[in-house]
Amino acid sequence: MQITLLNWNIKCGCNTGLLQNGWPKRKLPLKEALTSERFDVLCVQEALLDQLRFIDGFLPRYQRFGAGRTDGISAGEHCAIYILKERFEATHDGTFWLSATPKKPSRSFDPPPLPPRVCSWVALRDKQTGKRARVFNTHFPLMVGAL
């Protein structure tokens, strides 16, 4: 099965402090870029709920999967997956933590102050061919000076 997948680090929409990254200026160019591309699956990282709702608003043909890493529902950054609804049916989905307790929100193996790490996934069935695939989406820290 051939799938066109787009992967995009949204970078959390922080507008103050050390993590300030200009979300108000970046969001419209992001919308332009995503609506000009053709993809079956979109994986985003570091997306906060308000950013996901913004994306939901201009990608109505897609269904979103994934949970917030802080509470397992909506709080914190997401590694969300969007699937083209007219092409795929999601048969299963979930989010797990890259930790000793993967089924619940928990600190990852990264040392503090690095946040918990999650992996969201979705099992797909192509509506035309019946073929199946799984998509996994995670985000690892930039290891400056590692090697």
Side-chain angles (χ1 to χ4, degrees), residues 3-4 15 29 35 39 50 54 59 61-62 74-75 98 112 124-125 128 147:
I3 297 173
T4 302
N15 296 313
T35 55
F39 50 87
D50 285 345
F54 174 71
L59 293 181
R61 297 173 51 217
Y62 293 82
S74 60
L98 305 178
L124 305 174
R125 186 186 67 78
Q128 286 189 329
L147 255 212

Side-chain angles (χ1 to χ4, degrees), residues 8-10 23 25-36 42 44 51 54-55 58:
W8 202 299
N9 184 337
I10 300 300
W23 173 244
K25 292 179 182 176
R26 292 187 299 111
K27 67 193 240 181
L28 292 180
L30 172 69
K31 178 181 178 180
E32 271 185 45
L34 292 180
T35 55
S36 70
L42 168 66
V44 299
Q51 292 173 299
F54 174 71
I55 295 168
F58 64 83

Side-chain angles (χ1 to χ4, degrees), residues 50-138:
D50 285 345
Q51 292 173 299
L52 292 172
R53 288 180 178 149
F54 174 71
I55 295 168
D56 294 347
F58 64 83
L59 293 181
R61 297 173 51 217
Y62 293 82
Q63 182 177 4
R64 173 171 41 100
F65 297 89
R69 69 181 179 189
T70 303
D71 66 357
I73 303 168
S74 60
E77 295 175 15
H78 293 65
C79 285
I81 302 169
Y82 287 83
I83 66 167
L84 187 59
K85 294 186 283 190
E86 57 209 44
R87 177 167 181 200
F88 296 112
E89 170 192 11
T91 58
H92 298 86
D93 70 278
T95 296
F96 58 89
W97 282 257
L98 305 178
S99 73
T101 54
K103 293 183 180 182
K104 64 180 185 175
S106 51
R107 167 132 319 271
S108 299
F109 300 108
D110 297 328
L114 293 175
R117 300 286 168 188
V118 294
C119 180
S120 293
W121 62 274
V122 62
L124 305 174
R125 186 186 67 78
D126 188 300
K127 291 180 178 180
Q128 286 189 329
T129 66
K131 290 185 178 181
R132 297 175 183 271
R134 288 184 188 246
V135 176
F136 293 83
N137 185 20
T138 192

